[in-house]
Amino acid sequence: MDVSKKLRGTVRIQEAPMTDVKVMGSQESEIAPGVWQHAPGVVTTSLQTALNWGRQNSMWYLTFGLACCAIEMMATGGSRYDFDRFGMVPWPSPRQADLMIVSGTVTEKMAPRVRTLWEQMAEPRYVIAMGACATNGGPYHQGYNVVDGVDKVIPVDVYVPGCPPRPEALLYGVVQLQRKINVAGKQEPEKQKQEKVESEAVKEDV
Amino acid sequence: MSEINEKVKGRLIEQFPGVEVSETEFGQVEVKAPKEIIADLARFVREELDFDYLTMVAGVDYIEYLQLVYHIRSLKDYAELIIKVDVDSENAVVASVAPIWTGANWHEREAMDMFGIQFEGHPDPRPILLPEDWQGGHPLRKDFIDKRPKRERQFRTR
Amino acid sequence: MSEIEARRLKAEEVGHEKLILNLGPQHPSTHGVLRVITTLEGERITEAEPDIGFLHRNFEKIVEGWTWSQVIPLTDRNDYLANINNEHAYVLAVEKLAGIEVPERAEYIRVIMSELNRIASHLLTFGTFAMDMGAFTPFLYGFRERELLYDIFEKVTGARMMHNYVRLSGVRNDLPDGWDKEVLEFLDRLENDVIPDYYDLLIKNPIFEARSLGVGVLTKEDAIAYGAAGPILRGSGIDWDLRRDMPYSIYDRFDFEVITREEGDHYARFMVRMDEMIESAKIIRQAFEQMPEGPVMGKVPRVLKPEGDIYSAVEGPRGEIGVYLVGDGNFKPYRVKWRAPSFSNLSILPLMAKGQFVADIVLTIGTLDPIFGEVDR
Amino acid sequence: MPEWVMAIIKILIVLAFIGLNGMFLIWAERKVAGFIQARIGPARVGRPQGFFQLFADAIKMFSKEDVRPAAADKWVWWFAPVVFFTPVAMAFLVLPFGPNVIGLDMNIGLIYLAAVASFALLGVFMAGWGSNNKYSLLGAMRAGAQMISYEIPLILATIGVIMITGTLSTQGIVEYQVAHGWNIKTQFLAFVVFFIAMLAELNRTPFDLVIAESELTSGFFTEYSGIRWGMFMFAEYTNIFVMSALAVTLFFGGWASPFGLVGSVLIFLIKTYAIVFLIIWIRWSVPRVRIDQLMTLGWKFLLPLSLFNIVFTGLILLI
């Protein structure tokens, strides 16, 4: 077989104009509301603290396994690591889930579905990109059918590296997300307002 | 085991004088057949030689031509048979073996997706692995180019 | 009529015979990303059409650009519950093609690891099948044992799941001291405590028997015609196991039984898996007894440029994992075709689902046990 | 104090009790599940044993966005949780918590309970149809079939008790048991039928086909989020409490204590939560039955059994 002049197997990516992901379903809803909008002062800060405390300690995650990482996610929910200690329960319906753990490779065929699921979730919703594939495509990023990172489809809060991440790593990611939730909505109103404007501008860009 | 291989080889040469029959170093009978007789050949090995278990249908792109590789087992005789069929790259049409081995159905659909080989007489010729809005082309061919647009990162502030 | 109006369910549609129900791709019971388009008549399924490809991540294309040994870690991720078996399948094919010798000790280590991985995989199948049936607790008990196995694997390979342990011409490193004792302890625990526990927890339950006995029957003829593999084939009464019938590696040195059951229903397939764990334990014990001392890595040519093509298969937990390799005398494989057992097994679903209840198709998917890493590759 | 003020206070007490009980049961379920499954369960918030988990869950649930599917039938969808919730709250009217602690001691208490309890089905059906979701619809259909078939043995099982005690008033039944010993001694068969039918009525494993997680995602409330879904959740758990309380009232002597102590609310609650624990225990131990097996069990076993119990009780009373 003479193949020296043949094209080898790597996939070459052709540059093309920017387009968005195809979106099935409803519009993107509002940014997670802070209570400060309605009343200023010490009451609302305490209220926000209470809200954040509730949210961070009761993150029910969607039973949504994509690939290999799903097995580690199940292991984290299992007896030894036990997600339930953090108040996290696997929940089948996206409407009632708070956290989406994208555990595995997102392909072109799956991407619109992931987007739809994310849109079906009620605010406040959080996303953890679990593993190398969900972060940036991982070992499959050369593939012609693999989305290089779930953050091309939905916004991600916490990235957990690893292929697949150990349960300890996933738990650490969850703790990081809890810290993130804990400070949400507690900034000075002006600053937050500014940020919101910025984020809307970003949204329009996207 | 080799007696069975000898027997299979004998029967095949007797029945199909044109085909190339050999035995690989791993103890499998290998048949190189022209694509016109694949349906007859398949029926013959299925019914007369008891090769009842189709494990896979693989396509290979050799640039000048495509090749289909069928690997079939005989669960009764513990024998293995490999059938190789060359298909034209541009006009890739070959008879389906799905009516003979039902399990070939999905394997042939996959080859259809990946190499663009059309199977005549296939009961359900639809794409199987590729997405509905597939960009076009047959990914496992060597000249495939990925034409997907680049995507931007999505983010939101909290 | 607006778009929303059009999406609304119609009384005519619901009241009449047919309702089209989508199971998946996100659904608690589809074991990953399977979508099944079912047509219902009341609670009965008249037609089920699996839609796959949601995890099609181009394994076969990507590896064409990688060297022969770079492919090994990626094979782990095909069937991500049977990692060592996958590595073994690929490495065996390359070794045969390139004519590489493997030291005897390495062969034994491979067999031990493969069989441990088979146990791990069947433990998960036990758990997910119970979960499909609505019992959540056995699932966690399955994971309890899997964690012990993870520890055992981790001591040898350094990884919980993706081992990258089997290498061309051997395995990466020798077994650590005292590891065999740990494995034997685990096997004793498995046989004496765990499996009887599982019987008490789930299998003896009358509801379990009512749900699985005589449901989802697959006949012998259909099993062969569809190319079903592994426990599905053996659960339908076909006495076929590559380890015994076409021995590869050193499997001809062990004495074990091939578990078969004649009924071909959910219960038979489930029990084949349960009994196979005990047979695997038998093989591991014998392997430890026979294992010689010596090196675990042989010599690999510095320039590995095999030529020709080969089909080689091993018996994984889900059945025959076949690898078809084409080498063109280059550093990289020219073509790697992965014959995944789950792919063939899943193609039986439309046949089996016809006429079942909605609740039973979930169990059917559970006993077919497809892993989408290898269905879609 | 005028009567209406008392009434409002009573209503508030009941609502507060429903809320606390619902949250407590969600926590208890997770804790018991953890115990059965060799886990710890909630442990991070509040010590000991993550007891504040119930408040975290409630806060999250109340502060979540309320999504209405675009294609849903607006008003049907809107009212379903209310229709599901109200009868459960209404049932508290006749539950005898203690010697004098009862909302209203009606002389048709049991008929009232049966009438009110069957109303919940309407809420389920509204949720199933209004969501415009096929999973929800299938769940609601199953709920219809299941609840109607199991309501009959459930009520027939209580008839034995009524025949013995000769009263329909819940307080009267308890007072009879204070005098003559618990009904479980004479009505064991009725209790078995009642308990199985109760599990089916509550949609608990092994009869949780309505919300069968592995088949229908979350059944009829798949599309609800936030506080609406919270109402379903609270109603479900309160329903468990109500049914257990009813079982205690009918068969285990209500607030009467076994060791000659003074009967009180505390004893009633202990007994009730013991039955609740039994229900949770069963939930985490057994698989789910199929719809046809469910119907077979209901119509071919429980119904004849309950009828037999009535005949048997009648014979005993005659002799």
Side-chain angles (χ1 to χ4, degrees):
Chain A
M1 264 183 287
D2 176 29
V3 286
S4 54
K5 61 179 186 297
K6 287 176 189 172
L7 292 163
R8 295 303 305 182
T10 41
V11 180
R12 288 176 298 156
I13 295 179
Q14 200 183 50
E15 296 290 324
M18 245 173 57
T19 49
D20 199 0
V21 197
K22 261 194 228 148
V23 175
M24 302 167 20
S26 65
Q27 294 288 309
E28 189 178 340
S29 60
E30 269 292 293
I31 301 289
V35 191
W36 55 265
Q37 289 157 327
H38 308 296
V42 75
V43 179
T44 53
T45 316
S46 320
L47 191 55
Q48 187 70 52
T49 312
L51 277 184
N52 288 348
W53 177 80
R55 284 170 183 171
Q56 85 188 36
N57 284 314
S58 170
M59 285 188 283
W60 295 15
Y61 63 101
L62 194 59
T63 48
F64 177 50
L66 280 174
C68 337
C69 292
I71 306 294
E72 284 297 68
M73 188 176 80
M74 289 183 215
T76 321
S79 298
R80 187 184 284 186
Y81 296 96
D82 196 7
F83 257 150
D84 207 7
R85 287 180 300 143
F86 296 82
M88 295 170 71
V89 184
W91 206 256
S93 170
R95 296 276 187 215
Q96 294 133 23
D98 311 288
L99 172 64
M100 182 191 234
I101 301 178
V102 185
S103 51
T105 322
V106 183
T107 60
E108 293 286 339
K109 197 170 180 178
M110 197 63 200
R113 273 85 175 184
V114 174
R115 178 81 194 184
T116 311
L117 277 172
W118 182 76
E119 278 167 358
Q120 281 175 344
M121 284 164 71
E123 291 282 359
R125 51 191 162 183
Y126 309 98
V127 179
I128 289 182
M130 181 186 180
C133 293
T135 307
N136 64 0
Y140 295 97
H141 75 280
Q142 312 171 342
Y144 52 84
N145 196 32
V146 175
V147 178
D148 47 349
V150 72
D151 52 6
K152 307 292 190 301
V153 189
I154 55 175
V156 175
D157 289 297
V158 173
Y159 298 86
V160 182
C163 189
R166 297 176 62 90
E168 291 94 330
L170 183 59
L171 287 176
Y172 183 67
V174 167
V175 172
Q176 291 300 311
L177 182 59
Q178 286 188 338
R179 287 175 59 189
K180 198 174 172 181
I181 296 169
N182 198 19
V183 297
K186 278 198 208 160
Q187 296 157 356
E188 294 289 311
E190 289 78 29
K191 206 177 162 191
Q192 179 127 1
K193 218 173 254 175
Q194 220 175 15
E195 260 184 22
K196 200 181 169 194
V197 171
E198 271 171 23
S199 72
E200 261 161 18
V202 167
K203 241 193 331 189
E204 275 161 25
D205 279 358
V206 175
Chain B
M1 226 162 273
S2 59
E3 314 91 70
I4 295 157
N5 284 352
E6 289 303 320
K7 191 191 105 194
V8 169
K9 269 158 56 179
R11 290 292 305 274
L12 278 170
I13 291 167
E14 191 184 301
Q15 189 76 16
F16 299 97
V19 302
E20 253 179 77
V21 184
S22 60
E23 192 174 340
T24 65
E25 53 185 311
F26 315 111
Q28 298 153 335
V29 179
E30 191 176 302
V31 183
K32 269 199 172 148
K35 73 170 185 179
E36 288 77 23
I37 66 160
I38 177 65
D40 295 337
L41 182 68
R43 189 156 287 117
F44 177 73
V45 297
R46 167 81 179 84
E47 276 156 20
E48 304 289 321
L49 301 177
D50 271 341
F51 281 95
D52 45 4
Y53 186 85
L54 180 100
T55 50
M56 64 149 202
V57 179
V60 187
D61 182 12
Y62 287 108
I63 311 286
E64 294 89 20
Y65 58 94
L66 301 170
Q67 191 174 61
L68 274 175
V69 183
Y70 302 83
H71 179 266
I72 307 139
R73 280 184 194 284
S74 167
L75 297 190
K76 213 175 279 168
D77 300 333
Y78 306 104
E80 289 176 272
L81 175 73
I82 290 179
I83 302 176
K84 288 181 175 173
V85 179
D86 289 352
V87 188
D88 191 24
S89 247
E90 300 301 316
N91 179 28
V93 184
V94 73
S96 168
V97 297
I100 299 151
W101 294 287
T102 326
N105 185 336
W106 279 26
H107 289 275
E108 287 187 346
R109 279 170 73 183
E110 189 193 330
M112 209 182 309
D113 263 12
M114 296 296 159
F115 293 94
I117 301 171
Q118 299 301 317
F119 290 91
E120 273 178 352
H122 191 279
D124 184 22
R126 282 178 301 142
I128 184 165
L129 287 177
L130 298 179
E132 304 90 343
D133 51 351
W134 173 239
Q135 44 172 305
H138 301 290
L140 279 185
R141 288 206 184 189
K142 296 285 179 186
D143 56 358
F144 173 75
I145 294 171
D146 191 3
K147 293 197 205 71
R148 284 180 306 161
K150 259 202 167 156
R151 285 174 168 154
E152 285 304 305
R153 235 183 112 210
Q154 307 230 335
F155 57 95
R156 76 203 295 214
T157 46
R158 286 203 189 275
Chain C
M1 200 161 60
S2 71
E3 194 200 339
I4 285 171
E5 277 292 315
R7 289 225 305 268
R8 206 160 266 170
L9 285 172
K10 298 289 177 305
E12 303 91 75
E13 187 193 354
V14 175
H16 275 241
E17 299 93 50
K18 277 176 186 165
L19 181 75
I20 291 172
L21 184 75
N22 246 319
L23 295 176
Q26 184 266 336
H27 191 271
S29 70
T30 48
H31 292 212
V33 283
L34 168 67
R35 174 174 171 227
V36 188
I37 306 160
T38 53
T39 313
L40 300 185
E41 233 170 75
E43 285 259 344
R44 291 239 179 224
I45 290 166
T46 52
E47 210 179 315
E49 173 63 43
D51 181 11
I52 61 172
F54 290 100
L55 197 59
H56 178 54
R57 34 187 194 184
N58 339 123
F59 165 79
E60 288 172 4
K61 183 73 174 181
I62 291 172
V63 296
E64 286 175 11
W66 293 10
T67 61
W68 290 98
S69 53
Q70 270 179 328
V71 179
I72 300 170
L74 218 54
T75 58
D76 269 333
R77 287 154 181 82
N78 272 342
D79 179 351
Y80 38 80
L81 289 176
N83 322 79
I84 301 272
N85 304 72
N86 280 273
E87 287 171 15
H88 197 178
Y90 173 77
V91 166
L92 207 65
V94 180
E95 278 164 358
K96 276 188 192 167
L97 192 63
I100 300 171
E101 293 278 312
V102 186
E104 214 177 339
R105 188 175 170 83
E107 293 272 27
Y108 277 99
I109 294 176
R110 283 180 186 181
V111 166
I112 290 168
M113 295 295 275
S114 297
E115 294 305 317
L116 279 176
N117 215 324
R118 190 187 312 276
I119 293 174
S121 170
H122 287 344
L123 281 173
L124 191 102
T125 311
F126 161 80
T128 47
F129 184 66
M131 198 159 71
D132 289 339
M133 211 179 257
F136 194 66
T137 304
F139 173 73
L140 288 171
Y141 277 81
F143 256 100
R144 185 187 66 179
E145 289 357 296
R146 269 179 74 87
E147 287 290 346
L148 298 178
L149 268 176
Y150 278 152
D151 286 350
I152 286 170
F153 282 134
E154 211 176 336
K155 283 201 174 120
V156 181
T157 69
R160 280 162 62 89
M161 274 178 72
M162 304 303 178
H163 308 296
N164 191 13
Y165 179 65
V166 182
R167 297 291 167 87
L168 294 176
S169 89
V171 293
R172 187 176 62 206
N173 51 291
D174 207 340
L175 304 173
D177 293 338
W179 185 77
D180 49 345
K181 275 199 199 79
E182 233 169 280
V183 174
L184 292 176
E185 247 171 54
F186 171 79
L187 294 180
D188 285 340
R189 189 182 140 84
L190 183 82
E191 283 178 353
N192 300 330
D193 298 341
V194 175
I195 291 182
D197 252 13
Y198 288 173
Y199 274 83
D200 289 342
L201 192 60
L202 183 72
I203 302 168
K204 284 183 191 163
N205 192 318
I207 298 175
F208 176 84
E209 289 181 352
R211 286 294 303 273
S212 58
L213 275 173
V215 182
V217 178
L218 180 69
T219 60
K220 266 185 192 182
E221 292 72 32
D222 284 334
I224 294 182
Y226 275 88
I232 289 121
L233 197 64
R234 292 193 281 278
S236 290
I238 292 149
D239 195 6
W240 177 262
D241 190 322
L242 281 175
R243 289 177 294 174
R244 185 199 62 195
D245 296 331
M246 295 192 138
Y248 53 93
S249 193
I250 47 161
Y251 271 106
D252 45 358
R253 301 182 195 173
F254 304 117
D255 172 34
F256 64 98
E257 272 175 47
V258 174
I259 309 289
T260 51
R261 285 192 176 237
E262 292 297 320
E263 301 86 5
D265 54 5
H266 289 334
Y267 191 79
R269 287 189 284 275
F270 185 83
M271 291 310 289
V272 165
R273 291 199 175 92
M274 294 302 287
D275 294 345
E276 264 183 17
M277 284 200 264
I278 293 171
E279 294 305 315
S280 290
K282 248 191 224 170
I283 295 176
I284 296 168
R285 287 219 175 83
Q286 290 172 32
F288 273 126
E289 273 165 24
Q290 298 174 9
M291 189 152 66
E293 290 293 318
V296 293
M297 268 295 244
K299 286 205 174 71
V300 193
R302 189 160 286 262
V303 183
L304 186 66
K305 289 182 172 178
E307 210 170 331
D309 64 329
I310 180 174
Y311 177 87
S312 146
V314 305
E315 182 80 24
R318 275 162 202 79
E320 177 177 347
I321 305 172
V323 184
Y324 179 70
L325 288 178
V326 182
D328 60 349
N330 208 322
F331 295 104
K332 305 166 181 175
Y334 188 76
R335 168 93 169 98
V336 177
K337 160 78 185 175
W338 203 263
R339 190 270 174 189
S342 297
F343 186 75
S344 299
N345 288 348
L346 190 65
S347 66
I348 317 173
L349 184 64
L351 178 83
M352 287 173 76
K354 203 167 272 181
Q356 278 184 335
F357 284 105
V358 183
D360 284 337
I361 190 175
V362 168
L363 294 188
T364 308
I365 299 170
T367 46
L368 290 178
D369 194 24
I371 292 298
F372 286 86
E374 65 172 3
V375 174
D376 299 341
R377 277 151 290 144
Chain D
M1 237 186 296
E3 214 166 83
W4 60 272
V5 175
M6 279 305 289
I8 285 178
I9 288 174
K10 274 183 184 170
I11 288 170
L12 285 178
I13 288 174
V14 165
L15 284 181
F17 182 79
I18 288 174
L20 277 176
N21 171 65
M23 290 192 290
F24 172 72
L25 282 188
I26 293 173
W27 171 81
E29 173 133 71
R30 283 161 74 172
K31 219 53 202 176
V32 173
F35 179 67
I36 291 172
Q37 296 164 348
R39 295 187 290 129
I40 300 175
R44 300 284 286 196
V45 280
R47 275 155 220 259
Q49 302 292 309
F51 193 76
F52 289 164
Q53 189 62 47
L54 49 113
F55 297 111
D57 281 344
I59 289 173
K60 182 213 62 180
M61 214 179 269
F62 280 75
S63 70
K64 251 184 116 59
E65 187 190 3
D66 183 17
V67 183
R68 182 170 64 85
D73 196 335
K74 192 175 171 190
W75 292 108
V76 176
W77 189 82
W78 216 259
F79 274 115
V82 183
V83 174
F84 190 64
F85 187 82
T86 317
V88 180
M90 280 162 76
F92 274 82
L93 187 66
V94 291
L95 287 185
F97 277 80
N100 298 311
V101 191
I102 185 166
L104 180 65
D105 190 8
M106 276 190 266
N107 56 1
I108 51 153
L110 281 178
I111 290 181
Y112 170 82
L113 260 182
V116 160
S118 51
F119 213 72
L121 175 61
L122 189 62
V124 173
F125 224 86
M126 281 166 76
W129 176 258
S131 300
N132 193 51
N133 179 322
K134 286 171 185 170
Y135 291 129
S136 304
L137 187 69
L138 270 178
M141 295 293 187
R142 285 179 176 189
Q146 179 176 335
M147 284 184 168
I148 288 169
S149 356
Y150 276 78
E151 201 106 304
I152 297 165
L154 186 82
I155 292 167
L156 287 181
T158 60
I159 286 181
V161 176
I162 296 169
M163 284 162 75
I164 286 182
T165 55
T167 173
L168 279 167
S169 143
T170 45
Q171 196 69 285
I173 291 171
V174 176
E175 272 155 14
Y176 174 87
Q177 294 181 68
V178 171
H180 297 87
W182 294 0
N183 283 340
I184 183 78
K185 278 184 262 175
T186 49
Q187 290 292 314
F188 185 73
L189 195 61
F191 174 69
V192 171
V193 173
F194 184 87
F195 190 73
I196 294 173
M198 179 172 102
L199 283 180
E201 195 79 345
L202 292 170
N203 304 328
R204 299 287 292 189
T205 318
F207 308 110
D208 62 338
L209 295 103
V210 175
I211 45 173
E213 196 180 282
S214 58
E215 296 150 31
L216 304 176
T217 19
S218 292
F220 62 90
F221 52 64
T222 303
E223 291 283 353
Y224 285 85
S225 66
I227 182 65
R228 271 163 217 294
W229 168 64
M231 278 173 86
F232 275 114
M233 208 68 176
F234 279 120
E236 287 232 319
Y237 279 98
T238 314
N239 218 348
I240 292 172
F241 179 85
V242 169
M243 282 295 188
S244 308
L246 187 60
V248 167
T249 310
L250 289 176
F251 300 103
F252 292 99
W255 40 261
S257 71
F259 310 113
L261 299 169
V262 183
S264 70
V265 178
L266 193 66
I267 286 169
F268 182 78
L269 287 181
I270 288 172
K271 283 180 186 170
T272 308
Y273 281 117
I275 301 237
V276 171
F277 173 73
L278 193 63
I279 294 173
I280 294 178
W281 187 3
I282 289 172
R283 154 105 190 241
W284 295 107
S285 307
V286 293
R288 183 189 307 126
V289 299
R290 210 169 50 206
I291 184 87
D292 58 328
Q293 293 162 351
L294 178 93
M295 290 296 146
T296 312
L297 182 72
W299 292 104
K300 289 191 187 159
F301 290 94
L302 293 187
L303 187 66
L305 217 57
S306 52
L307 286 174
F308 170 75
N309 180 59
I310 292 172
V311 173
F312 187 68
T313 313
L315 279 176
I316 293 218
L317 283 179
L318 268 180
I319 296 162

